[in-house]
Amino acid sequence: MKKPKFTLSNIIFVVVIALLIIPQTRQPIQIFLQKGLAMISPSEISADKRENLESYDNWKLIDSNGNQYDFKQAQGKVVFINFWATWCPPCIAEMPSIDNLYADYNDQVVFLLVSNEESNIINDFKSKNAYNFEFYQSVTNVPDQFQTSSIPQTYLIDKSGAIVMDKSGAANWNSDSVRKLLDDLLASD
């Protein structure tokens, strides 16, 4: 008995591949898949393996309204830094969890979401998605400790300048473990 060439699984496979090839459907599918992966909460770096920032000097940023931000202003504070792009499906997938975290911690934690894209592209993305946090662009070179070859790349820094989290890829930033860690970092002197 000969097996038919067009089985249901073969047809589904071909349709999925076709959807991933078509530019208009590729990004929504990738974002959907990344949201599933972003359900994982990032893990804290053990205290003995943490690096301290070398300096808060020489990193200048600009927000979407043209306001300058000197990274030196973040010294002594808890800082959340996320490098991202509007075309990056994992970045887009984790944005809602960052927005939820920002809603509760924006007055206690410095949130720096940094992209190297044109400001009009970033502003369109922000208004389309109604995110509440501010986006930044680097005016000067990014400090060596934050140099990365992949995005999203996220760092959580404590008040003393220690890098407590260093996460590459999408994550659930609104998880109970991240919130507990932020509460602990904010309570410490």
Side-chain angles (χ1 to χ4, degrees), residues 84-102:
W84 70 283
T86 61
W87 50 261
C88 165
C91 302
I92 296 167
E94 73 177 0
M95 286 287 168
S97 72
I98 295 172
D99 197 44
N100 289 333
L101 190 68
Y102 176 83

Side-chain angles (χ1 to χ4, degrees), residues 63-120:
D63 69 18
S64 58
N65 298 315
N67 300 315
Q68 292 216 8
Y69 183 83
D70 187 338
F71 188 56
K72 195 168 195 148
Q73 294 173 254
Q75 192 165 4
K77 299 176 183 175
V78 176
V79 184
F80 180 96
I81 302 173
N82 177 270
F83 294 94
W84 70 283
T86 61
W87 50 261
C88 165
C91 302
I92 296 167
E94 73 177 0
M95 286 287 168
S97 72
I98 295 172
D99 197 44
N100 289 333
L101 190 68
Y102 176 83
D104 291 337
Y105 288 93
N106 68 55
D107 58 338
Q108 304 165 69
V109 175
V110 175
F111 283 83
L112 299 174
L113 283 89
V114 183
S115 176
N116 64 359
E117 294 177 281
E118 300 280 330
S119 58
N120 62 328

Side-chain angles (χ1 to χ4, degrees), residues 3-187:
K3 188 174 180 179
K5 291 182 181 181
F6 297 107
T7 64
L8 181 59
S9 61
N10 286 347
I11 293 170
I12 291 172
F13 180 75
V14 168
V15 168
V16 169
I17 296 298
L19 289 173
L20 288 173
I21 292 172
I22 301 168
Q24 291 84 354
T25 57
R26 178 183 24 218
Q27 189 178 41
I29 290 171
Q30 289 175 332
I31 292 168
F32 175 76
L33 294 173
Q34 289 294 329
K35 281 187 179 184
L37 294 173
M39 296 307 292
I40 299 168
S41 180
S43 55
E44 180 179 355
I45 299 171
S46 62
D48 60 325
K49 295 191 179 184
R50 293 180 185 168
E51 288 183 45
N52 279 341
L53 289 181
E54 294 166 5
S55 172
Y56 283 83
D57 295 332
N58 302 325
W59 191 27
K60 310 274 191 248
L61 302 137
I62 191 165
D63 69 18
S64 58
N65 298 315
N67 300 315
Q68 292 216 8
Y69 183 83
D70 187 338
F71 188 56
K72 195 168 195 148
Q73 294 173 254
Q75 192 165 4
K77 299 176 183 175
V78 176
V79 184
F80 180 96
I81 302 173
N82 177 270
F83 294 94
W84 70 283
T86 61
W87 50 261
C88 165
C91 302
I92 296 167
E94 73 177 0
M95 286 287 168
S97 72
I98 295 172
D99 197 44
N100 289 333
L101 190 68
Y102 176 83
D104 291 337
Y105 288 93
N106 68 55
D107 58 338
Q108 304 165 69
V109 175
V110 175
F111 283 83
L112 299 174
L113 283 89
V114 183
S115 176
N116 64 359
E117 294 177 281
E118 300 280 330
S119 58
N120 62 328
I121 294 171
I122 296 170
N123 287 333
D124 289 347
F125 177 83
K126 182 180 178 182
S127 62
K128 175 182 161 192
N129 293 288
Y131 291 126
N132 296 304
F133 44 77
E134 189 58 66
F135 293 113
Y136 294 87
Q137 296 170 290
S138 284
V139 175
T140 59
N141 290 335
V142 174
D144 289 341
Q145 287 179 290
F146 302 137
Q147 293 293 331
T148 181
S149 59
S150 65
I151 53 174
Q153 181 70 43
T154 307
Y155 301 93
L156 185 58
I157 302 162
D158 71 10
K159 292 176 184 177
S160 70
I163 299 173
V164 177
M165 283 187 173
D166 178 351
K167 171 72 172 119
S168 182
N172 178 10
W173 293 104
N174 195 36
S175 68
D176 291 340
S177 63
V178 171
R179 285 175 168 272
K180 180 179 180 338
L181 177 59
L182 281 175
D183 291 339
D184 292 345
L185 294 176
L186 291 166

